[in-house]
Amino acid sequence: MPKDTENNNAYQADPSRNKPTAKDIARPDNTSDNDAAADHYPPDDSKVQATKTLKDEDLPKEISDEDKETIKKVAGDDNLSQAKSYASILVEQVIHAKETFERSLGSLFTSAFTAGFEIGISFFMILSAFALLSAVIPSEYAIVLASLLYPVGFIIVVIGQSLLFTEQTSLLSLPVLNKIEPLHKLLRLWGIVIAGNIVGGCLFAALMIGLGLNMQLFGASDIDAYAEHILGFRWWVIFGSAVLAGWMMGIAAWLVTSARDTISRIVLVTLITGSIGFLGLHHSIVGNIEIFSALLYGNTVSLWRYLLFLIVVLAGNTVGGVVFVAILKNRAFLFEVERVKEQTDDKI
């Protein structure tokens, strides 16, 4: 294994010991409870401080003293008045991903189900606005204007920290890329999150979209029109659109981690997901609700069209999140470690 990969594996594995939740922290055998407690920070600061508490004893003994200093230097994030370092963001994402891997299956499914249900609020708002606007302006303009409400459900999910597949795709792959967790655990976790998101979304469509119809906020023709706006492309176009949407959701996850306060996170989520909605890109979890609603209450969508759409968009979102965000960001971190080592060698 290349030396830079060994450095990154060791680095990624151990910062999770400094998380403030004591019962889930794996500590070295020679670390006492008091020592561990001294390393913890209050919940509000825990993620900010996650990369500042690395000590030599926290890293495997096999790593040389030189490599330990390099890892700590790359991960340093001491100045809270400045933007977080690249390495600090990546480490925080790995820490959070490992924490997700350690959750029970019931907890994972419940959180994913909640996200699938909550994300439906975006479509409910969009559909209501579309029905209202299409009565006074051409439908193509009504769809674009209504799509500006796209971020509402995402803000609820991201700030509420429910498990949304597209937002977590790149995040959850990081421990696997660094050989901290096996691939089969990632696939199982993805399966649970996808299942929870889809079940929650379908239930939202069945209950809330039906409620909206009875409240006369929109009609079946509006549901069909919006579904055809989503489905009216060749499969490879939908796949490419889903790749771009997955990429942008991965960027959103990265930027949310880089933010130090809730207001900044809300602004970032609004900008990224608002762009996805404005461009009409295909998002698997919101798209599931959009097309399933048409399957239940519309007249143009068949079960086959719904299933094919869901498979293509899930694949595209996954490729966009993993390839264009996780792999490239992770590789850039490895290059940064190697660069710092070379600079240190030049000074010696």
Side-chain angles (χ1 to χ4, degrees), residues 21 107 145 267:
T21 306
S107 173
L145 290 176
V267 171

Side-chain angles (χ1 to χ4, degrees), residues 172-223:
L172 296 177
S173 64
L174 288 171
V176 176
L177 291 173
N178 291 285
K179 300 182 180 179
I180 299 171
E181 298 287 352
L183 178 61
H184 71 86
K185 287 186 66 175
L186 174 64
L187 296 178
R188 183 185 66 177
L189 199 153
W190 274 355
I192 294 170
V193 173
I194 291 172
N197 287 168
I198 291 176
V199 172
C202 289
L203 184 61
F204 181 93
L207 298 179
M208 298 297 108
I209 301 303
L211 177 65
L213 285 168
N214 284 284
M215 293 176 65
Q216 298 183 353
L217 295 175
F218 41 78
S221 60
D222 298 313
I223 297 174

Side-chain angles (χ1 to χ4, degrees), residues 90 113 307 313:
L90 186 64
F113 174 87
L307 293 176
V313 178

Side-chain angles (χ1 to χ4, degrees), residues 6-313:
E6 292 178 1
N7 292 342
N8 191 50
N9 290 347
Y11 172 68
Q12 303 284 14
D14 286 285
S16 61
R17 294 172 179 169
N18 295 320
K19 292 292 287 182
T21 306
K23 67 179 182 179
D24 293 324
I25 297 173
R27 300 195 301 268
D29 294 337
N30 61 351
T31 303
S32 67
D33 289 341
N34 291 335
D35 291 338
D39 289 338
H40 296 160
Y41 291 80
D44 290 342
D45 297 330
S46 60
K47 288 189 176 183
V48 173
Q49 305 285 355
T51 59
K52 297 169 68 174
T53 58
L54 283 176
K55 300 178 181 178
D56 287 347
E57 57 268 26
D58 294 328
L59 301 172
K61 297 178 181 179
E62 293 79 6
I63 298 179
S64 66
D65 291 339
E66 177 189 0
D67 288 343
K68 288 179 181 179
E69 291 304 316
T70 300
I71 292 171
K72 288 188 289 184
K73 184 176 181 180
V74 172
D77 186 30
D78 296 325
N79 192 344
L80 297 183
S81 66
Q82 297 180 358
K84 292 183 182 180
S85 68
Y86 188 99
S88 175
I89 298 171
L90 186 64
V91 169
E92 288 182 27
Q93 290 210 359
V94 172
I95 290 172
H96 184 69
K98 277 191 60 64
E99 188 178 71
T100 302
F101 271 94
E102 294 168 1
R103 293 173 63 175
S104 67
L105 300 184
S107 173
L108 291 171
F109 183 84
T110 301
S111 181
F113 174 87
T114 302
F117 200 85
E118 291 172 341
I119 205 71
I121 296 174
S122 284
F123 181 54
F124 193 90
M125 297 286 291
I126 289 171
L127 197 58
S128 299
F130 171 66
L132 181 65
L133 291 171
S134 60
V136 293
I137 61 176
S139 60
E140 58 268 26
Y141 297 116
I143 285 180
V144 172
L145 290 176
S147 68
L148 297 178
L149 294 168
Y150 202 75
V152 175
F154 286 94
I155 292 171
I156 295 171
V157 169
V158 174
I159 303 303
Q161 299 185 1
S162 299
L163 283 173
L164 185 67
F165 174 66
T166 49
E167 195 245 337
Q168 298 286 335
T169 305
S170 58
L171 178 69
L172 296 177
S173 64
L174 288 171
V176 176
L177 291 173
N178 291 285
K179 300 182 180 179
I180 299 171
E181 298 287 352
L183 178 61
H184 71 86
K185 287 186 66 175
L186 174 64
L187 296 178
R188 183 185 66 177
L189 199 153
W190 274 355
I192 294 170
V193 173
I194 291 172
N197 287 168
I198 291 176
V199 172
C202 289
L203 184 61
F204 181 93
L207 298 179
M208 298 297 108
I209 301 303
L211 177 65
L213 285 168
N214 284 284
M215 293 176 65
Q216 298 183 353
L217 295 175
F218 41 78
S221 60
D222 298 313
I223 297 174
D224 280 336
Y226 202 87
E228 291 305 315
H229 167 71
I230 301 297
L231 292 172
F233 303 93
R234 302 285 295 273
W235 72 267
W236 58 269
V237 175
I238 293 177
F239 178 81
S241 171
V243 170
L244 181 54
W247 180 17
M248 294 179 69
M249 286 303 300
I251 292 173
W254 180 270
L255 294 178
V256 165
T257 304
S258 73
R260 297 190 186 277
D261 59 87
T262 301
I263 298 299
S264 297
R265 292 171 183 171
I266 291 174
V267 171
L268 291 169
V269 171
T270 301
L271 289 175
I272 299 296
T273 59
S275 298
I276 293 174
F278 179 79
L279 295 172
L281 301 179
H282 292 78
H283 185 278
S284 55
I285 308 307
V286 178
N288 167 63
I289 301 173
E290 293 167 342
I291 307 307
F292 189 75
S293 297
L295 176 64
L296 289 181
Y297 299 110
N299 303 300
T300 62
V301 175
S302 65
L303 179 61
W304 168 245
R305 289 186 77 191
Y306 163 70
L307 293 176
L308 181 61
F309 167 82
L310 193 58
I311 292 170
V312 171
V313 178

